[in-house]
């Protein structure tokens, strides 16, 4: 596909996270691709990971207070992505969790959408989002419900313009099927496994690494370990739920809340832990793969992307209910079989999610879709 012109469409560029890791690898797949994003506020350090290339942004980039409040312009984002002129490209690849797949393409353009998630807050997580943000009552809540209604209608229309979907997990593939009535191939996102190595010796503590936000349910992990004072827990990460997590910890001496740490400390802490404990329902769960790459078993809620990552009884354990009681029972069950979940097995399991495998799987998928797309395009030109 050397002569094929490629455009990569991303939602927004603000901080370096999982979706930006995908863009970084897509650029390696298609070095000459042009990148489009609703806004671009990356730091110079993060921009270097994109080769320092110019990003084509939308009109939202120049709206008042966009740097800090661009998410407040969500209602304008469908209009923004529809304004880009992509006529000069043969293949359009959208990296989607909100509006990116809504770009307009023509009958001679192949549109492949890599989906991190359908809009959670507009679809099946709407009521949860409204409750957690305090907007489930009043005029503001009514406005948000009306906005989400309009976004859902637009979202279904936008999905019809995509030629092929790729989901980052089987869980997201099911959500795509439920939301848009479309099938999706599954290609796990890339994880930089080279950062992590298997520790020579485990220590006597458990760990969780996560943004401290409501749906991650770190509060449940902390509550569970407060009820297990003989077991140590280290919490790494920051976010809006930091004070709630500290409150749930209640000053328990067996729980250490570290906030953000250096990369070297993260690596050593993950590698030394008996197990990584996680209670959130993730679309995929890169931190779970990082734990496995460190040779650390994972104890996780058995919904979402964790089911694609953890091999129960071999590299970890899955529990059925999001509750502190279920976490306590899962930790106790894990300790009965801990000797079977060796660091080597965990590390080997993580290799399924390498950056090299992502690139080879993704390019093979796009090339196959292009070969199938070409005959119809040629026929239209006769």
């Amino acid at each position: 596909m050397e002569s094929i012109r490629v455009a990569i469409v991303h939602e927004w560029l603000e901080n370096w996270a999982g979706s930006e890791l995908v863009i970084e690898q897509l650029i390696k797949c298609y070095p000459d691709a042009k990148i489009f994003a609703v806004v671009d506020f990356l730091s110079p350090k993060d921009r270097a990971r994109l080769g320092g290339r110019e990003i084509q942004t939308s009109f939202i980039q120049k709206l008042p207070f966009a740097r800090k409040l661009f998410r407040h312009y969500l209602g304008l984002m469908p209009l923004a992505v529809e304004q880009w002129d992509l006529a000069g490209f043969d293949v359009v690849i959208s990296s989607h969790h909100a509006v990116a797949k809504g770009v307009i393409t023509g009958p001679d353009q192949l549109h492949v959408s890599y989906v991190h998630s359908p809009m959670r807050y507009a679809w099946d997580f709407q009521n949860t989002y409204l409750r957690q943000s305090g907007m489930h009552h009043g005029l503001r809540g009514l406005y948000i419900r009306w906005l989400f209604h309009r976004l859902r209608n637009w979202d279904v229309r936008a999905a019809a313009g995509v030629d092929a979907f790729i989901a980052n997990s089987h869980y997201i593939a099911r959500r795509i099927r439920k939301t848009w009535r479309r099938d999706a191939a599954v290609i796990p996102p890339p994880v930089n496994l080279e950062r992590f190595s298997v520790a020579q010796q485990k220590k006597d503590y458990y760990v969780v690494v996560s943004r401290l936000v409501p749906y991650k349910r770190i509060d449940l992990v902390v509550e569970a370990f407060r009820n297990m004072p003989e077991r140590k827990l280290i919490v790494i990460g920051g976010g809006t739920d930091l004070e709630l997590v500290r409150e749930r910890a209640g000053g328990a001496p067996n729980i250490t809340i570290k906030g953000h740490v250096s990369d070297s400390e993260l690596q050593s802490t993950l590698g030394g832990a008996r197990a990584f404990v996680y209670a959130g329902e993730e679309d995929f769960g890169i931190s779970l793969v990082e734990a496995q790459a460190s040779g650390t078993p994972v104890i996780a809620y058995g919904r979402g992307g964790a089911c694609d990552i953890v091999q129960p009884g071999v590299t970890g354990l899955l529990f059925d209910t999001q509750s502190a009681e279920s976490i306590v029972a899962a930790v106790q069950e894990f300790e009965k079989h801990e000797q079977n979940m060796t660091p080597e097995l965990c590390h080997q399991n993580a290799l399924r999610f390498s950056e090299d495998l992502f690139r080879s799987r993704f390019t093979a998928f796009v090339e196959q879709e292009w070969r199938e797309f070409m005959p119809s395009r040629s026929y239209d030109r006769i």
Side-chain angles (χ1 to χ4, degrees), residues 14 20 52 73 89 135 150 173 187 203 211 277 296 380:
E14 181 191 21
E20 283 71 33
Y73 293 117
F89 299 97
M135 294 188 292
R150 290 180 61 88
I187 300 177
K203 299 179 182 179
R211 286 185 298 120
V277 185
T296 299
D380 289 341

Side-chain angles (χ1 to χ4, degrees), residues 276 278 282 284-293 298 300 306 309-310:
F276 183 103
Y278 197 78
E282 283 287 359
F284 177 68
I286 287 177
S287 62
L288 279 65
V289 177
E290 293 176 340
Q292 298 268 267
V298 171
I309 298 169
V310 179

Side-chain angles (χ1 to χ4, degrees), residues 80 106-107 171 213 220 287 302 350 376:
Y171 170 62
V213 294
L220 293 180
S287 62
S376 63

Side-chain angles (χ1 to χ4, degrees), residues 73-338:
Y73 293 117
L74 178 64
L76 292 175
M77 288 185 186
L79 175 64
V81 300
E82 290 174 348
Q83 303 313 303
W84 286 318
D85 182 4
L86 303 177
F89 299 97
D90 301 295
V91 176
V92 176
I93 300 170
S94 58
S95 170
H96 175 85
H97 61 76
V99 298
K101 74 175 186 310
V103 293
I104 296 176
T105 55
D108 292 336
Q109 295 173 292
L110 175 67
H111 182 181
V112 176
S113 186
Y114 187 85
V115 181
H116 306 278
S117 174
M119 282 189 284
R120 299 167 63 94
Y121 38 83
W123 288 98
D124 45 327
F125 283 79
Q126 173 186 279
N127 291 324
T128 300
Y129 170 80
L130 290 172
R131 283 195 305 271
Q132 292 176 347
S133 58
M135 294 188 292
H136 53 301
H137 295 302
L139 289 176
R140 190 180 181 193
L142 183 62
Y143 165 74
I144 295 297
R145 291 177 188 275
W146 171 81
L147 174 61
F148 286 171
H149 169 72
R150 290 180 61 88
L151 283 174
R152 283 191 292 271
N153 290 339
W154 173 85
D155 199 44
V156 172
R157 197 286 305 160
V162 176
D163 297 296
F165 281 107
I166 305 173
N168 68 357
S169 68
H170 288 88
Y171 170 62
I172 293 302
R174 293 195 299 274
R175 293 190 66 225
I176 289 171
R177 182 64 186 169
K178 182 70 174 181
T179 304
W180 302 322
R181 299 301 179 189
R182 297 284 300 277
D183 293 326
V186 176
I187 300 177
V191 182
N192 183 358
L193 303 178
E194 295 178 359
R195 295 169 54 219
F196 303 93
S197 58
V198 177
Q200 295 301 313
Q201 187 174 2
K202 291 293 183 180
K203 299 179 182 179
D204 188 23
Y205 65 85
Y206 293 81
V207 67
V208 56
V209 179
S210 174
R211 286 185 298 120
L212 304 184
V213 294
Y215 81 93
K216 303 283 188 177
R217 302 314 312 266
I218 308 303
D219 58 314
L220 293 180
V221 179
V222 168
E223 182 180 344
F225 277 83
R226 193 180 63 184
N227 296 329
M228 296 186 289
E230 70 284 4
R231 296 177 176 90
K232 297 178 182 178
L233 173 70
I234 296 177
V235 180
I236 294 177
T240 57
D241 264 13
L242 178 59
E243 292 306 316
L244 173 62
V245 169
R246 285 177 173 162
E247 181 182 328
R248 288 293 179 93
N254 63 315
I255 300 173
T256 302
I257 301 172
K258 289 195 171 185
H260 296 292
V261 300
S262 67
D263 202 51
S264 60
E265 184 175 353
L266 170 65
Q267 293 165 19
S268 62
T269 305
L270 277 178
R274 293 178 68 177
F276 183 103
V277 185
Y278 197 78
E281 183 175 338
E282 283 287 359
D283 300 327
F284 177 68
I286 287 177
S287 62
L288 279 65
V289 177
E290 293 176 340
Q292 298 268 267
S294 304
T296 299
V298 171
I299 302 170
Y301 178 47
R303 292 279 301 274
C307 297
D308 284 11
I309 298 169
V310 179
Q311 298 179 5
V314 180
T315 70
L317 184 150
L318 300 174
F319 55 90
D320 295 332
T321 307
Q322 278 181 312
S323 69
E325 294 76 15
S326 290
I327 296 171
V328 170
V331 170
Q332 293 171 344
E333 182 67 19
F334 162 76
E335 291 179 354
K336 295 178 183 178
H337 308 283
E338 184 176 3

